[in-house]
Amino acid sequence: SRFFLPGPQAAPLTMMRSSHLKHHRSLGKDNDSDKQYYALEQFNDGLAYKKWIMMSFFGGMFMPIILKLKHSSKKSQKKSVTGISKEKILDYCSIIAMQAAISLYTFYLTGSVFSYFYAWMLPLFTVMFGLNTLRSNLEHAKHHKLSTNQTLLFTFRPSKFVCFFISPFNMNYHAEHHISPAIPFYNLPYASITEGDYNVTLCKCYTSRFRQIVRSFE
């Protein structure tokens, strides 16, 4: 998985795992490593929120994600007394090997050394980061001016076409993923819950949820 999933994304698996598990433990709390995605109090109005979503498709989340992973790395280094772990070495090796393979393959296909940057890295830091930011926001966002007992657990039932782009690996079953995180992604549909269970809100699509958040600023 290191080589074929996070490796092509230039993402260190160990730091990502540490950050994601902290997100599960600290959902809704100030020390949640993913709160930057869903904390609506950072926006003054709906226009600022929409601009933030739009800018995430132009690389706006690049530095926040780097800083988040860097913070996770520092935390894990404090716990380690033997220096760089074997897992981190494998992380770096997977990233270097896969990025080299992708750059060689894009050069083979196009004959241009720059194709790696415009055909792989550019979509990675724009489209992929943007879609991930949008999904992460819609999965947990609640407006800070509304009732404090709002749920942070939302689960979606969009079309397969929408899932392909926004929530692959059954991540539209996001409340199920949080309630039972040990369930592998391919079994999440079998753990499907209904609205009202575990204080979960069921949404039919991501667009209606986006409009709901924008209206919540009014």
Side-chain angles (χ1 to χ4, degrees), residues 89-104:
I89 293 174
L90 287 171
D91 286 345
Y92 300 140
C93 288
S94 67
I95 291 172
I96 293 170
M98 293 309 297
Q99 296 307 310
I102 292 169
S103 63
L104 289 173

Side-chain angles (χ1 to χ4, degrees), residues 134-141 153-159 162-163 166-167 170-176 192 200-210 212-213:
L134 178 63
R135 179 185 62 81
S136 300
N137 175 264
L138 299 180
E139 286 166 350
H140 296 304
L153 296 177
F154 294 86
T155 191
F156 298 83
R157 300 296 183 269
S159 66
V162 172
C163 286
I166 298 183
S167 56
N170 291 324
M171 278 297 99
N172 55 295
Y173 293 90
H174 205 74
E176 291 87 340
S192 178
V200 169
T201 299
L202 177 63
C203 304
K204 290 185 177 180
C205 62
Y206 288 95
T207 52
S208 61
R209 174 79 181 119
F210 177 76
Q212 182 189 49
I213 293 176

Side-chain angles (χ1 to χ4, degrees), residues 174-185:
H174 205 74
E176 291 87 340
H177 169 63
H178 268 269
I179 293 166
S180 303
I183 296 178
F185 76 92

Side-chain angles (χ1 to χ4, degrees), residues 2-216:
R2 273 190 177 88
F3 280 83
F4 293 105
L5 290 175
Q9 299 177 51
L13 178 63
T14 304
M15 283 187 281
M16 288 180 65
R17 178 184 287 140
S18 174
S19 175
H20 190 68
L21 290 176
K22 183 179 179 182
H23 164 61
H24 273 260
R25 290 191 300 267
S26 309
L27 180 63
K29 299 177 182 177
D30 292 336
N31 62 336
D32 182 358
S33 55
D34 281 3
K35 195 170 185 180
Q36 59 182 332
Y37 291 119
Y38 64 85
L40 295 183
E41 56 265 27
Q42 60 186 307
F43 309 111
N44 295 323
D45 50 41
L47 181 61
Y49 168 73
K50 287 188 284 187
K51 285 181 178 178
W52 175 75
I53 292 291
M54 183 180 69
M55 287 306 299
S56 69
F57 283 88
F58 291 91
M61 289 302 292
F62 175 71
M63 282 309 299
I65 290 174
I66 294 298
L67 292 173
K68 181 184 79 168
L69 292 176
K70 185 178 179 182
H71 181 70
S72 298
S73 177
K74 286 182 177 179
K75 283 288 185 70
S76 61
Q77 282 177 1
K78 288 180 180 179
K79 295 179 181 178
S80 175
V81 293
T82 58
I84 300 178
S85 66
K86 185 186 294 184
E87 287 76 15
K88 285 189 177 181
I89 293 174
L90 287 171
D91 286 345
Y92 300 140
C93 288
S94 67
I95 291 172
I96 293 170
M98 293 309 297
Q99 296 307 310
I102 292 169
S103 63
L104 289 173
Y105 187 60
T106 52
F107 176 73
Y108 169 76
L109 291 176
T110 64
S112 171
V113 294
F114 299 106
S115 60
Y116 165 73
F117 297 99
Y118 67 74
W120 185 259
M121 296 305 290
L122 182 62
L124 186 68
F125 293 129
T126 55
V127 178
M128 196 278 282
F129 275 22
L131 289 174
N132 182 66
T133 299
L134 178 63
R135 179 185 62 81
S136 300
N137 175 264
L138 299 180
E139 286 166 350
H140 296 304
K142 69 173 184 178
H143 201 279
H144 62 290
K145 292 181 181 179
L146 300 180
S147 173
T148 55
N149 61 354
Q150 292 180 92
T151 181
L152 285 170
L153 296 177
F154 294 86
T155 191
F156 298 83
R157 300 296 183 269
S159 66
K160 291 183 178 180
F161 178 79
V162 172
C163 286
F164 178 82
F165 290 100
I166 298 183
S167 56
F169 300 105
N170 291 324
M171 278 297 99
N172 55 295
Y173 293 90
H174 205 74
E176 291 87 340
H177 169 63
H178 268 269
I179 293 166
S180 303
I183 296 178
F185 76 92
Y186 48 82
N187 280 336
L188 282 173
Y190 302 107
S192 178
I193 58 179
T194 58
E195 189 169 14
D197 293 344
Y198 302 99
N199 194 26
V200 169
T201 299
L202 177 63
C203 304
K204 290 185 177 180
C205 62
Y206 288 95
T207 52
S208 61
R209 174 79 181 119
F210 177 76
R211 289 195 298 267
Q212 182 189 49
I213 293 176
V214 173
R215 288 196 299 267
S216 72

